[in-house]
Amino acid sequence: VTMSLDKIYTNLIMEHNKSAHNKRKIACNCMERGHNPNCGDDITVQLQIEDGIVKEAAFIGIGCAISTASSSILMDIIQGKTVEEAERLVHNFLNMIKGEELSEEELEELDEASLLENIKNMPARVKCATLAWNGVKVIIEKYHSEKGQN
């Protein structure tokens, strides 16, 4: 039995929204708050970056099912990655949501996050889905600029 993509997508959102194993406070050296006044999402991304590696990733705050699930998936896929790998994943995800075509490899790398691709057809939800990703993007930009100053 093939499950429709919509069904897989819905299950994924529900699962991550419920479990939210990445929704917790951690000791971190990088934080970025994202706020979406349209639907009340207010999420703070926390990353512990050591020696160029995302040792731990989590988020706190409140958000709709899509922003919570998307944040949780993001934490899953960047944890343990180098800052450069995390940066590439975030870049590719944001491009995908903007409607750009990704290669099979890029989609594979995004893992569960690639299932959120349909959100590009729901303009009102794009901000929910990308909130945490944009937060990580800002953290990485700051990380690079601080590295550059040393």
Side-chain angles (χ1 to χ4, degrees):
V1 185
T2 56
M3 251 207 286
S4 73
L5 257 182
D6 282 350
K7 186 114 180 81
I8 292 170
Y9 159 83
T10 308
N11 289 348
L12 180 75
I13 301 267
M14 297 317 286
E15 199 181 301
H16 272 275
N17 190 39
K18 238 188 4 238
S19 112
H21 53 281
N22 295 314
K23 190 175 179 181
R24 58 199 162 85
K25 200 158 176 39
I26 58 168
C28 61
N29 53 9
C30 305
M31 277 173 97
E32 190 63 36
R33 180 176 169 225
H35 182 231
N36 175 6
N38 292 347
C39 74
D41 295 333
D42 191 341
I43 284 174
T44 299
V45 174
Q46 317 158 95
L47 301 183
Q48 180 63 31
I49 300 177
E50 289 167 38
D51 306 323
I53 292 179
V54 181
K55 292 275 189 215
E56 215 175 345
F59 68 100
I60 47 172
I62 49 160
C64 66
I66 290 177
S67 68
T68 301
S70 186
S71 302
S72 180
I73 292 166
L74 166 62
M75 302 310 145
D76 277 348
I77 67 172
I78 64 171
Q79 195 152 293
K81 300 274 195 300
T82 65
V83 169
E84 286 68 30
E85 287 169 327
E87 186 171 29
R88 191 178 67 237
L89 289 165
V90 168
H91 175 80
N92 288 343
F93 179 83
L94 293 173
N95 282 346
M96 175 184 80
I97 297 288
K98 277 186 219 147
E100 287 182 30
E101 284 291 316
L102 295 189
S103 72
E104 280 300 310
E105 271 169 47
E106 289 169 332
L107 285 170
E108 230 166 83
E109 265 191 326
L110 283 176
D111 199 20
E112 287 188 320
S114 65
L115 296 171
L116 300 177
E117 188 176 6
N118 288 346
I119 288 174
K120 69 182 179 212
N121 306 319
M122 303 180 251
R125 313 308 301 177
V126 164
K127 204 163 179 186
C128 311
T130 56
L131 195 61
W133 299 76
N134 281 316
V136 170
K137 186 181 170 193
V138 171
I139 286 174
I140 291 172
E141 283 163 5
K142 286 181 184 168
Y143 175 82
H144 285 318
S145 68
E146 281 163 23
K147 274 270 174 278
Q149 284 156 9
N150 294 344

